[in-house]
Amino acid sequence: GRVRAERRLLFNDAGIFRGRFVSGFTLTTMDRGAAREYIEWAARTGFNGVRVLCGNLTWAGQTAAAAAEGLPWVLDTLAANGLYCEVTAVTDTAASNFDLRAHVDTIARICAERENAIVEIANEPYHPTQREDVHEYDFLGRLGRDLVEPRGLLWSVGAPPDDEPQAKELPLAGSYLHIHLNRGRDEWNMVRRVRELEAASHNYGRHVWNGEPIGWADTNQPGRRTANPDIAFTMGLLSRGFEVSVTSHAEHALTAVLPSPHQQHM
């Protein structure tokens, strides 16, 4: 059944829902055989959902229109494998000029026709790859309230610029909070701050999703990727302990290809 929010917890028809997702950014526009293989791997590995990016992705040659066209197949294939999907609607808008409101409306309509989708309006709205209106959280909140919420979907505006947002300083619309941990800290200082995500859940009175922690890779890339499996294990452990949903992020997941043995281990 559809995921819903009740204050700081998420539920579906089976009871409390704890997101154990994996990134799969380009699933909507890639070869369907490879996409199906990735989805089946995610289910087999023990994840219960995948996060996809459904806007422009210049680095992947993806357009928002192509992503929206491929989204129904991805959602249906995920559902057939018992998986949910966090659909991020707005990405990489600075390099393009398209009707953003119409695109969000299309994504919300597709998601509302299925029970396994939740919606994040924009990926890192503060990022320079997003155009000026996307930087405005009030604007994103209006999109969510006008186009997503009336359709009964769980939704978030997108990650705030700080992984310790304060409700009095930055009101964030939506039924849950999607937050990205600051990767600029050393790895252990970053991962321990899952506790601060729980504090944000308390301050806002809503569930928090640990949406894009430092990614797993075969070699260390300070501030971007880690090859340390202890960090991956602790990220999952703390997210579960503090009732924070988590999306496992990784180098292989950017283009939704199967992981190397080391990334699989992590």
Side-chain angles (χ1 to χ4, degrees), residues 52-163:
V52 301
L53 302 188
C54 277
N56 298 307
L57 291 176
T58 303
W59 55 267
Q62 174 175 300
T63 67
E69 183 179 356
L71 180 59
W73 180 87
V74 167
L75 290 177
D76 291 344
T77 306
L78 287 167
N81 285 273
L83 300 176
Y84 287 83
C85 188
E86 183 181 43
V87 181
T88 303
V90 177
T91 60
D92 203 5
T93 51
S96 61
N97 183 23
F98 70 104
D99 190 332
L100 192 148
R101 186 179 179 90
H103 176 67
V104 173
D105 187 48
T106 297
I107 296 297
R109 175 183 54 77
I110 293 169
C111 290
E113 292 169 351
R114 294 154 176 86
E115 290 192 334
N116 66 325
I118 66 177
V119 175
E120 180 191 23
I121 302 296
N123 178 54
E124 297 183 344
Y126 53 86
H127 200 275
T129 57
Q130 300 282 22
R131 68 194 200 193
E132 287 300 316
D133 53 357
V134 177
H135 295 327
E136 300 297 326
Y137 286 82
D138 287 345
F139 168 68
L140 300 175
R142 288 195 298 274
L143 290 178
R145 285 188 292 268
D146 291 350
L147 305 173
V148 184
E149 191 171 287
R151 289 178 160 116
L153 292 160
L154 192 78
W155 69 283
S156 170
V157 289
D162 188 347
D163 60 9

Side-chain angles (χ1 to χ4, degrees), residues 187-188 191 216 226-236 265-266:
E187 291 179 354
W188 285 110
V191 76
W216 326 127
T226 180
N228 185 350
D230 292 339
I231 294 292
F233 177 80
T234 306
M235 185 74 70
H265 172 64
M266 296 177 76

